Each structure stands twice: as structure tokens, then as C-alpha cells.
């Protein structure tokens, strides 16, 4: 299979608002929620009286309607009173430059404060802050680049695969251990396995590839197919592209061509990645595979009517979408491996 080494996101630290389950007495607005007029007036009144949770809720409301100045003002007031949710959200905003000029150092320091908090009501935030600190260390944003420090934070955040840990950190560790400089395929499999169990779509697709090729585990085509199918059904373009490879190498050319055509029709990678909640790099790899293998099917007439002009069109699209995948597969063609 073409994708043994799964991609590691290297483009942005982009953090997410907290939408995790919290204790019943903690009311945290969801990332897509706004307050209705009656609730807004009540919340504003309580916030003005110094009610910390209401200050946080009001700040989040303003952020949702993109009044970032007011949002930051209320989040600052809430964080000053010890609300770690507000501090975590502010760290994201300073780090990503949302509603303010980016201040990476300040964002990192805020994340460290979240990690060091001992309030039992906010312990659930710690793995997410540790994950972001790991990303900061890995990217060298706001702190000196340091792979070992990134790994340290992600291991803490991953909590040995526990569902209460950061699933993003678990998946990131799976990718981290497939890099040439930090390769340990057994560790990569371990982390992708638990991340997939806990809901990571990227890791489920990666797990399918690892089972298929026996990377970090014994080869198991049945489990490979199961994981690739499940991730594909949930919208993972990476899994869909690798499912094409599975079908093609199993000589199920009609299925391979049909699946490859479907993946190759993807127009907006950014939109597709956002819709499925997957990383853009994973989406690029999947669509690149789909385009190349559909072109190959058209060129040879396997599973679809032969059409040289259409084949060239999809070969070109594969190069445009994911050059590295196209180069890798083209070399396989030259070596008679495809």
C-alpha cells in the first residue's frame, strides 16, 4: 500500500474551543451556541455583579457573534477570578490571533497556568492544554522547538490511551512515531489503536493501513478492511483513498475504479476536511491516491472503460492535489510495482 507512513500535521497549531463533558454543576456553552435575548440579559446582569461563570458565558456569547473585543473583555474578567475555562479560551485566542494580535508567548504561558491549576472543577481541561503545549513545542511557536518536550506533553495528555485523555494527543503520538526521526512503529500502532477506539477518524484510517501492511503489528487484512471501511463511511478521505489501494491490490478493479472515481471528485479539500473533522494533510493524501489510481484504471482499462485523455486528466489532478504521493506512485509504476 502506498501510504505506510501516515502524515503528521505540520502546518498550524490551530486550537479548538472546549466542548468537553464537564461536571453537571458546570455549565459550559457549546462552541456553536449563542444566548437568546432573555438568557443574554440575565447572564449579562449576573456577569456585571461579578458572577464568574456568567462572565465566561457572556464572553463566549460575544465571541460567537464575532464581537471579539467584548468577548475578550469578559473572558479576561472571568479568568482573573480563577475560571480556567476562560483562561484556556484566551490562550487559544492569543495563540491563533483571534480578535487580537497573535502573542504566542502569552498564549503558551496561559496554557501552562491551565496545566498547573489544582481546582477539581477544571481538571478536565489539563489534557487539552497539554496537547496544545505539545503542538507549540513541536512547531516552535511561542517556545523553542523541541521534539522531546512535545512528546512529553503529548504523553501526559494521552493518559496511556484513556478516553478521558486528549484524543488529539493520542492520534498525534501515533503520527509522531511514524516520522523518520522518531520512528517506533509499535508505539505508533499502540497510540493509533487507542485513539481510534476513542473516536479519532485519522487514527482509524491509519490503523487500517497499519493492519494491511503489518506496520507495528501482524498483518491482518480483515481488520484492515474493517477499519478502512468504518473510517470511509464516516467521511475520511484518507481511508477512502487507501481503500482504493486495498481493492486494487486485491484485484477487485471494478470496486477500485468506482471508489477511486468517487474520491477523485472532491473539489474543496479544505471544506471536505472540515466537514469530516479530519486534518487537511490526511485529506490531501486520500484524494491524491484516489486520483492516481483512477487514472491508472482509465489508462489500463481495469474496472472501467479505457480512456487515455481522462487518464491524463486525473494523473495531472493527482500531481496537483498531492505531489509527493504522485511522485511515489509514479516510481512504483516505473518499477512495475503497480
Amino acid at each position: 500500500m502506498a501510504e505506510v507512513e501516515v502524515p503528521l500535521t505540520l502546518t498550524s497549531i490551530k486550537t479548538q474551543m472546549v466542548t468537553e463533558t464537564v461536571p453537571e454543576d458546570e455549565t459550559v456553552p457549546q462552541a456553536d451556541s449563542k444566548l437568546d435575548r432573555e438568557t443574554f440579559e440575565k447572564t449579562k446582569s449576573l456577569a456585571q455583579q461579578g458572577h464568574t461563570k456568567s462572565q465566561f458565558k457572556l464572553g463566549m456569547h460575544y465571541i460567537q457573534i464575532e464581537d471579539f473585543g467584548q468577548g475578550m473583555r469578559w473572558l479576561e474578567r472571568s479568568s482573573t477570578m480563577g475560571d480556567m475555562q476562560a483562561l484556556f479560551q484566551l490562550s487559544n485566542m492569543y495563540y491563533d490571533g483571534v480578535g487580537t494580535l497573535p502573542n504566542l508567548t502569552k498564549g503558551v504561558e496561559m496554557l501552562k497556568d491551565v496545566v498547573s491549576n489544582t481546582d477539581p472543577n477544571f481538571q478536565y481541561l489539563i489534557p487539552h492544554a497539554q496537547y496544545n503545549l505539545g503542538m507549540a513545542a513541536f512547531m516552535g511557536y511561542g517556545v523553542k522547538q523541541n521534539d522531546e518536550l512535545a512528546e512529553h506533553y503529548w504523553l501526559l495528555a494521552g493518559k496511556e490511551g484513556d478516553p478521558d485523555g486528549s484524543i488529539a494527543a493520542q492520534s498525534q503520538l501515533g503520527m509522531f512515531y511514524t516520522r523518520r526521526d522518531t520512528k517506533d512503529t509499535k508505539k505508533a500502532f499502540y497510540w493509533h489503536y487507542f485513539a481510534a477506539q476513542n473516536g479519532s477518524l485519522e487514527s482509524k484510517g491509519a490503523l487500517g493501513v497499519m493492519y494491511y501492511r503489518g506496520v507495528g503489528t501482524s498483518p491482518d487484512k480483515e481488520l484492515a478492511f474493517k477499519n478502512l471501511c468504518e473510517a470511509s463511511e464516516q467521511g475520511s478521505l484518507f481511508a477512502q483513498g487507501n481503500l482504493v489501494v486495498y481493492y486494487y491490490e486485491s484485484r477487485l478493479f471494478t470496486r477500485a475504479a468506482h471508489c477511486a472515481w468517487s474520491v477523485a471528485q472532491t473539489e474543496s479539500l479544505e471544506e471536505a476536511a472540515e466537514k469530516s473533522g479530519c486534518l487537511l494533510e490526511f485529506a490531501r493524501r486520500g484524494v491524491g491516491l484516489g486520483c492516481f489510481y483512477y487514472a491508472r484504471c482509465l489508462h489500463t482499462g481495469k474496472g472501467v472503460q479505457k480512456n487515455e485523455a481522462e487518464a491524463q486528466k486525473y494523473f495531472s489532478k493527482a500531481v496537483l492535489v498531492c505531489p509527493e504521493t504522485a511522485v511515489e506512485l509514479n516510481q512504483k509504476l516505473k518499477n512495475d510495482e503497480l
Side-chain angles (χ1 to χ4, degrees):
M1 186 173 286
E3 297 300 301
V4 172
E5 182 172 317
V6 296
L8 174 66
T9 177
L10 297 172
T11 55
S12 175
I13 189 175
K14 292 300 182 184
T15 47
Q16 299 177 345
M17 295 181 188
V18 177
T19 57
E20 307 299 320
T21 302
V22 296
E24 291 182 1
D25 61 338
E26 297 292 328
T27 305
V28 181
Q30 296 298 301
D32 60 352
S33 69
K34 302 183 186 72
L35 304 176
D36 58 44
R37 179 166 292 279
E38 181 179 351
T39 305
F40 170 78
E41 294 298 338
K42 180 180 179 181
T43 301
K44 185 175 182 181
S45 176
L46 288 170
Q48 290 172 335
Q49 295 172 43
H51 189 266
T52 306
K53 293 179 186 177
S54 296
Q55 292 171 345
F56 171 72
K57 187 184 289 188
L58 187 61
M60 292 297 291
H61 167 80
Y62 279 121
I63 288 170
Q64 294 309 310
I65 62 173
E66 298 188 1
D67 186 343
F68 296 114
Q70 284 279 38
M72 291 194 74
R73 174 189 168 210
W74 286 107
L75 289 177
E76 292 277 10
R77 290 178 67 172
S78 181
S79 68
T80 300
M81 298 297 291
D83 192 314
M84 291 293 110
Q85 299 166 108
L87 190 63
F88 183 83
Q89 183 60 35
L90 283 168
S91 74
N92 296 347
M93 295 177 76
Y94 277 112
Y95 212 103
D96 291 332
V98 176
T100 183
L101 292 174
N103 188 329
L104 307 184
T105 302
K106 188 170 185 176
V108 166
E109 291 306 312
M110 287 179 165
L111 287 171
K112 289 180 179 178
D113 287 341
V114 173
V115 168
S116 64
N117 95 86
T118 56
D119 189 326
N121 291 319
F122 299 120
Q123 294 302 293
Y124 75 96
L125 284 170
I126 292 177
H128 306 290
Q130 290 168 332
Y131 164 72
N132 287 346
L133 283 170
M135 285 300 297
F138 184 75
M139 301 296 294
Y141 290 165
V143 64
K144 186 177 179 180
Q145 198 286 327
N146 188 320
D147 279 357
E148 290 183 4
L149 185 60
E151 180 185 19
H152 168 74
Y153 277 124
W154 288 334
L155 286 170
L156 290 174
K159 298 179 75 170
E160 298 184 345
D162 193 296
D164 291 333
S166 165
I167 299 171
Q170 294 165 4
S171 186
Q172 200 74 31
L173 282 164
M175 297 179 238
F176 182 75
Y177 290 126
T178 62
R179 295 168 69 240
R180 286 182 179 84
D181 294 340
T182 52
K183 181 166 283 188
D184 186 323
T185 57
K186 288 187 177 180
K187 287 183 179 180
F189 178 83
Y190 172 92
W191 285 106
H192 276 310
Y193 177 84
F194 282 106
Q197 291 291 312
N198 294 331
S200 169
L201 205 51
E202 281 98 354
S203 284
K204 184 169 281 292
L207 202 60
V209 175
M210 298 180 85
Y211 273 126
Y212 187 55
R213 282 304 188 198
V215 178
T217 186
S218 300
D220 191 321
K221 289 190 69 173
E222 186 176 339
L223 284 174
F225 185 67
K226 177 179 182 291
N227 279 278
L228 289 174
C229 282
E230 289 178 354
S232 294
E233 289 170 1
Q234 294 175 54
S236 168
L237 290 169
F238 177 76
Q240 290 168 18
N242 279 287
L243 190 57
V244 169
V245 182
Y246 179 97
Y247 285 138
Y248 191 92
E249 293 189 353
S250 299
R251 304 187 66 79
L252 299 171
F253 297 121
T254 301
R255 288 189 182 183
H258 177 76
C259 188
W261 176 86
S262 179
V263 178
Q265 302 315 300
T266 305
E267 293 299 329
S268 174
L269 287 173
E270 290 82 1
E271 191 175 304
E274 183 176 356
K275 183 178 180 181
S276 64
C278 290
L279 297 171
L280 180 59
E281 179 68 8
F282 272 67
R284 281 199 322 112
R285 299 286 181 117
V287 174
L289 285 170
C291 290
F292 197 98
Y293 273 88
Y294 187 55
R296 180 62 177 161
C297 289
L298 287 165
H299 179 71
T300 60
K302 292 179 177 178
V304 68
Q305 187 173 346
K306 191 172 182 177
N307 188 322
E308 292 286 357
E310 282 292 287
Q312 188 56 51
K313 169 186 168 183
Y314 283 99
F315 276 131
S316 297
K317 186 172 181 179
V319 173
L320 184 64
V321 170
C322 192
E324 54 270 41
T325 295
V327 169
E328 180 182 321
L329 292 175
N330 192 52
Q331 187 60 49
K332 285 180 174 290
L333 276 179
K334 292 180 179 178
N335 297 338
D336 291 325
E337 297 174 358
L338 191 62

